[in-house]
Amino acid sequence: MSEQQQQAKHQERTAEVEIAVSKMLRIGIVLAGLVIVVGLILFLVTGDSGYPEDTFPTSLPDIFQGVLQLKSVAIIEVGLILLILTPVFRVFVSMLAFIHEKDYRFVVISIFVLIILAISFVLGKVGT
């Protein structure tokens, strides 16, 4: 296989990965939006957040327990979590794609971005 054919194949593979990542981002955004809308509709129909005034779940187990009990605020929070995790998932998938392509420079960059995101989540949790 000539070098030109290898480059064309590499570009084709890169385009396929970008299209797949783009579809995943759209699916994540739409899914998050749907979950938030379900929570808002539930809130409007019941007129109750499911929690006493000025309180809401702040930990993942509490949020998921609230979802199981169909509490509207917990459902909205799950939608927001999905919205936050969608770009994180994109970075993770990109890292896997770069590993598959053996483009280790971008693997390192992706890992660095994931570490920064993890640190920001931990710092955000500590700050609350």
Side-chain angles (χ1 to χ4, degrees):
M1 185 180 292
S2 73
E3 186 175 321
Q4 196 173 25
Q5 288 174 326
Q6 285 180 342
Q7 276 188 330
K9 187 175 180 178
H10 178 72
Q11 287 177 343
E12 183 179 313
R13 177 75 181 135
T14 301
E16 289 174 1
V17 169
E18 289 297 323
I19 289 170
V21 168
S22 172
K23 286 180 182 176
M24 282 186 252
L25 282 173
R26 276 189 238 141
I27 290 170
I29 297 297
V30 168
L31 182 65
L34 287 174
V35 171
I36 291 170
V37 167
V38 167
L40 286 172
I41 290 172
L42 186 63
F43 180 73
L44 291 173
V45 169
T46 62
D48 184 23
S49 69
Y51 296 96
E53 269 187 50
D54 297 334
T55 61
F56 52 89
T58 56
S59 67
L60 287 177
D62 291 342
I63 291 171
F64 290 120
Q65 186 178 9
V67 169
L68 292 175
Q69 296 170 352
L70 294 177
K71 295 181 177 182
S72 60
V73 169
I75 294 171
I76 293 169
E77 286 186 353
V78 167
L80 293 174
I81 289 170
L82 289 172
L83 193 62
I84 291 169
L85 290 180
T86 298
V88 175
F89 183 67
R90 189 259 191 262
V91 173
F92 182 75
V93 169
S94 294
M95 181 190 70
L96 295 178
F98 293 136
I99 289 172
H100 181 72
E101 293 176 5
K102 297 180 181 169
D103 192 346
Y104 297 114
R105 179 176 50 160
F106 284 107
V107 170
V108 170
I109 292 171
S110 298
I111 291 171
F112 184 69
V113 171
L114 285 172
I115 289 171
I116 290 173
L117 288 169
I119 290 170
S120 69
F121 291 144
V122 170
L123 291 177
K125 180 68 177 168
V126 171
T128 58

